[in-house]
C-alpha cells in the first residue's frame, strides 16, 4: 500500500474530534488547547461535522473563514485536520424552510427539528444543500496542505419512510426484479395471499402494516443501505467537484447492523470507525477479544490500514453506566487498535463541551482545563508511544484465516422466526470461533459472502443461514482446492430472498460436507446437552463439551464423525464431523458449543493443517498480531491480564522495538518485536 494514502507524513495519527466552534468567543481557550495538544503529542484533529449552522448561518450565506483560520493555526504547529462534511446535523433554518429534509418514521410520522443523523437521504433539497456546502468546503479547504482527509458526515444510520423514500424504494425494486410477478415469486407473497398486483402497492415495512414478509424486510434494509451509500457517493462527488482530491472516509460504528458497511467499499478510500467498548463489564481479556473482532472487521472492509476515528479517553456518557477506564486501559486499548491495523488513535473528544448532551463525556481536556489530570497524562503516554512507532504506519496484515460475518445474513437470521426466537447465538458463535483461533496468534480477516476465499487456508463459517453472492460455489471451490472450511449449524438454509432451499441442506453443499441436516432442536434457557469424543478421532479430541441453544441432527453420508451427542433422543448422533472433499477438508459443527470446544478444536485443526504460529506459546489473555511492510515483520504482543505472564520470544534474529520483557510481560503491557 502507498503509505501516503492516509497521511502526508509517515506517522501514526493521534488526536480526535475537536469542536472549536463552541469556543470562538474564548480565544484564550483555543490558545490553551493548542499548547495542550502539543504536549500530548496530538498531531491530528477532526473538525466540521457539527458546524453547519456556523458555516452557513443563513441559506446561501457561507462563512468559512473561522474554520480556515483554525486549520491554518493548527497546521503551523504541525497539527493536521480531518475535515468533516456537516450533513450529520442540519441548521434550524433548513428544516423550517424545507420540512421534506426531516425523516419520517416507520409509523409514517415526520420528525420535528432536533437531534442529528436523522435527515431524509432521498430528499433532493437535502442532497442539494449538502452538495453546495460540500463544494464550498472543498474549494476553500480541500487543497489546504493541513487537510489530510475528508470525513463524510458522521455515523450514517437509520431509515426514512417518507413518500420520497417509498417512491425510490419501488424504483429500486423494479430495477431488481423487473416484473411484479418475479417480485411476488421471489418474496413468496402467495403466503397469506399478500400478492402484489403492481409496484405502486408496495410500502416499506411498518408495525402498522406489513412486518412479517421476510423478503420485504430484507430488501428494505438493502435499499436503505443502497440509498445511504448513494447519499455518501453524492457527498464525495461534491467534494471532488469542488476540486479536492484528498482521500475520503466516513466513520462506521463497528457491528451496528442498520447498514451493510461492505457496500461503502466503492465510496471510501480509507475505512474508519468509532470504538466504545465497555472495558470493565466483562473480564478485560474478553472485552479485548470482542474489540479485536470489530477492528478486524473494519480493517477487512478495504484490507488495508484503517483509522480508529473515535474512542473515549475515559468514560462515555451514553452507556448504562459511565465507567471510568482503569489506569493502563487507555494505553492498551489504543495500542490494540494499532496492532489490528489502525494507523491512528483518535478520540471523541479533545475538549469537553460546556453544555448540552455530551458535557459529561470523557475528553482529553476536561472542564477543569489543566494538564495535571489522570486522563491527560495517560493521553500523553499514548502520544509518546505512537510517536515511537511511526514505522508501523502503512504496514499491513496478511491473514491466512478468515471468518465470514455477513450483515445481510444477520438481518435474515434474526428475522427468520426459526428454531429459537428467544435468542440466536450468531454473534456469540462468531466470537467464540474468532477467540478460539486468535488465541493461537493467527491474524484473521472478517469478510463477507462477496469476498474471495482463495487467499486463505482456513475459513470459519458461523451460522451462515442465508446464501448469496455465489457463496456455495466459493466454499466448494475453496475446499476442493485444498482449503479447510469449518461451518456450523443453521448454515445454508435459505437463498438471497430468504426462500428455503429444497432438496437438502446445507444448500448445494451436502456433498462437500458429506452430510444432510434433518432437523434442528431449539433448547430452552438453562437446558444443555454435551458432545463426547469418538474414540481415536483423528484430531485427538478428548474432552466432553457442553452445548446449548441449538442442536442440529444430521444424516452423515461420507463425513467422518469426531464427536457425538451425549443424551436426549439424538444421543450418539454426530455433533462434529469432517469430510475430505477434493484436496481440502470440510468440518461441520452441529451444535452451539462452549468456548473451550472452539479453543481445543481450532488448535487441533491448525496443527493438522500445519499452519505456523507467530510465537510457540501464547498465554491466555495475551493477544498477538503481525503487521508487515516490504522490509520488516512486526509482531505485537499485548497482555490484557492484570498480572504478569511468562513470555518466551523467538531466539532467532528479532529486535525488541517497544516494551520490556525479561521472560515475562507485565499486566496490561505490550512488547513489539521486529523480525
Ligand atoms: C459517536 C459520535 C460522536 C459522539 C460520540 C460519543 O457515536 O460520532 O459525535 O457523540 O459518539 O461517544
Ligand atoms: Zn425520506
Amino acid at each position: 500500500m502507498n503509505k501516503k494514502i492516509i497521511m502526508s507524513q509517515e506517522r501514526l495519527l493521534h488526536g480526535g474530534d475537536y469542536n472549536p466552534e463552541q469556543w470562538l468567543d474564548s480565544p484564550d481557550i483555543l490558545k490553551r488547547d493548542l499548547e495542550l495538544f502539543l504536549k500530548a503529542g496530538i498531531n491530528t484533529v477532526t473538525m466540521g461535522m457539527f458546524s453547519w449552522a456556523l458555516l452557513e448561518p443563513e441559506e446561501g450565506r457561507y462563512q468559512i473563514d473561522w474554520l480556515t483560520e483554525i486549520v491554518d493555526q493548527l497546521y503551523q504547529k504541525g497539527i493536521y485536520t480531518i475535515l468533516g462534511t456537516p450533513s450529520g446535523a442540519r441548521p434550524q433554518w433548513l428544516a423550517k424552510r424545507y420540512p421534506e429534509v426531516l425523516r419520517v418514521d416507520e409509523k409514517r410520522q415526520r420528525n420535528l427539528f432536533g437531534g442529528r443523523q436523522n435527515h431524509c437521504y432521498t430528499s433532493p433539497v437535502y442532497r442539494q444543500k449538502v452538495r453546495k456546502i460540500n463544494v464550498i468546503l472543498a474549494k476553500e479547504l480541500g487543497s489546504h496542505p493541513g487537510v489530510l482527509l475528508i470525513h463524510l458526515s458522521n455515523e450514517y444510520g437509520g431509515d426514512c419512510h417518507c413518500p420520497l423514500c417509498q417512491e425510490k424504494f419501488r424504483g429500486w425494486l423494479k430495477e431488481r426484479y423487473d416484473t411484479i410477478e418475479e417480485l411476488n415469486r421471489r418474496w413468496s407473497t402467495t403466503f397469506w395471499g399478500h400478492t402484489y398486483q403492481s409496484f405502486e402497492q408496495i410500502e416499506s415495512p411498518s408495525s402498522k402494516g406489513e412486518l412479517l414478509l421476510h423478503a420485504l424486510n430484507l430488501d428494505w434494509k438493502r435499499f436503505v443501505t443502497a440509498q445511504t451509500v448513494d447519499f455518501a457517493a453524492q457527498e464525495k462527488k461534491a467534494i471532488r467537484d469542488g476540486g479536492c482530491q484528498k482521500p475520503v472516509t466516513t466513520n462506521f460504528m463497528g457491528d451496528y447492523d442498520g447498514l451493510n458497511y461492505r457496500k461503502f467499499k466503492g465510496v471510501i478510500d480509507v475505512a474508519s470507525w468509532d470504538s466504545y467498548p465497555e472495558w470493565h463489564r466483562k473480564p478485560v481479556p474478553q472485552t479485548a477479544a470482542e474489540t479485536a473482532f470489530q477492528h478486524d472487521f473494519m480493517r477487512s472492509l478495504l484490507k488495508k490500514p484503517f483509522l480508529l476515528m473515535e474512542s473515549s479517553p475515559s468514560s462515555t456518557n451514553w452507556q448504562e453506566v459511565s465507567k471510568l477506564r482503569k489506569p493502563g486501559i487507555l494505553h492498551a486499548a489504543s495500542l490494540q487498535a494499532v496492532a489490528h491495523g489502525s494507523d491512528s488513535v483518535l478520540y471523541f473528544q479533545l475538549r469537553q463541551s460546556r453544555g448540552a448532551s455530551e458535557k459529561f463525556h470523557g475528553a482529553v481536556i476536561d472542564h477543569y482545563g489543566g494538564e495535571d489530570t489522570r486522563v491527560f497524562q495517560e493521553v500523553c503516554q499514548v502520544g509518546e508511544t505512537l510517536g515511537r512507532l511511526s514505522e508501523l504506519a502503512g504496514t499491513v496484515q496478511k491473514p491466512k484465516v478468515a471468518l465470514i460475518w455477513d450483515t445481510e445474513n444477520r438481518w435474515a437470521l434474526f428475522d427468520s422466526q426459526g428454531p429459537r426466537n428467544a435468542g440466536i447465538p450468531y454473534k456469540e458463535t462468531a466470537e467464540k470461533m474468532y477467540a478460539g483461533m486468535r488465541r493461537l496468534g493467527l491474524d484473521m480477516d472478517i469478510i463477507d459472502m462477496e469476498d474471495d476465499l482463495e487467499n486463505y487456508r482456513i475459513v470459519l463459517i458461523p451460522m451462515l443461514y442465508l446464501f448469496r453472492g455465489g457463496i456455495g460455489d466459493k466454499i466448494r471451490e475453496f475446499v476442493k482446492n485444498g482449503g479447510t472450511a469449518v461451518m456450523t449449524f443453521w448454515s445454508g438454509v435459505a437463498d438471497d430472498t430468504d426462500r428455503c432451499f429444497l432438496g437438502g441442506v446445507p444448500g448445494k453443499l451436502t456433498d462437500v460436507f458429506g452430510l444432510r441436516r434433518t432437523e434442528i432442536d431449539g433448547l430452552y434457557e438453562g437446558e444443555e446437552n454435551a458432545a463426547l469424543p469418538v474414540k481415536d478421532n483423528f484430531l485427538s479430541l478428548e474432552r466432553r463439551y457442553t452445548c446449548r441453544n441449538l442442536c442440529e441432527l444430521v444424516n452423515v453420508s461420507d463425513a467422518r464423525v469426531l464427536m457425538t451427542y451425549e443424551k436426549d433422543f439424538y444421543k450418539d448422533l454426530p455433533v462434529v464431523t469432517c469430510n475430505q472433499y477434493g484436496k481440502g477438508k470440510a468440518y461441520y459443527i452441529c451444535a452451539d458449543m462452549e468456548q473451550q470446544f472452539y479453543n481445543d478444536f481450532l488448535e487441533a485443526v491448525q496443527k493438522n493443517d500445519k499452519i505456523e504460529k507467530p510465537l510457540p506459546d501464547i498465554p491466555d489473555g495475551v493477544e498477538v498480531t503481525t503487521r508487515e511492510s516490504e522490509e520488516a515483520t512486526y509482531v505485537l504482543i499485548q497482555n490484557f491480564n492484570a498480572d504478569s505472564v511468562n513470555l518466551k520470544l523467538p531466539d532467532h534474529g528479532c529486535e525488541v522495538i517497544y516494551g520490556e520483557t525479561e521472560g515475562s510481560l507485565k499486566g496490561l503491557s505490550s512488547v513489539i518485536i521486529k523480525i
Side-chain angles (χ1 to χ4, degrees), residues 452-525:
D452 291 332
L453 306 182
E454 66 225 13
N455 292 329
Y456 305 104
R457 301 268 307 272
I458 301 180
V459 175
L460 307 180
I461 313 171
M463 301 190 75
L464 204 60
Y465 163 85
L466 175 140
F467 270 16
R468 68 184 182 93
I471 191 66
D473 292 338
K474 283 194 225 176
I475 294 173
R476 174 184 298 278
E477 282 304 299
F478 171 72
V479 178
K480 195 161 127 198
N481 295 329
T484 295
V486 181
M487 192 160 87
T488 77
F489 56 96
W490 211 229
S491 291
V493 183
D495 71 8
D496 65 348
T497 49
D498 207 10
R499 289 180 308 174
C500 294
F501 288 120
L502 305 179
V505 282
K508 299 187 203 152
L509 288 177
T510 48
D511 58 332
V512 175
F513 286 87
L515 51 74
R516 182 176 73 77
R517 170 186 319 116
T518 55
E519 295 178 87
I520 182 163
D521 193 16
L523 272 56
Y524 292 113
E525 223 44 56

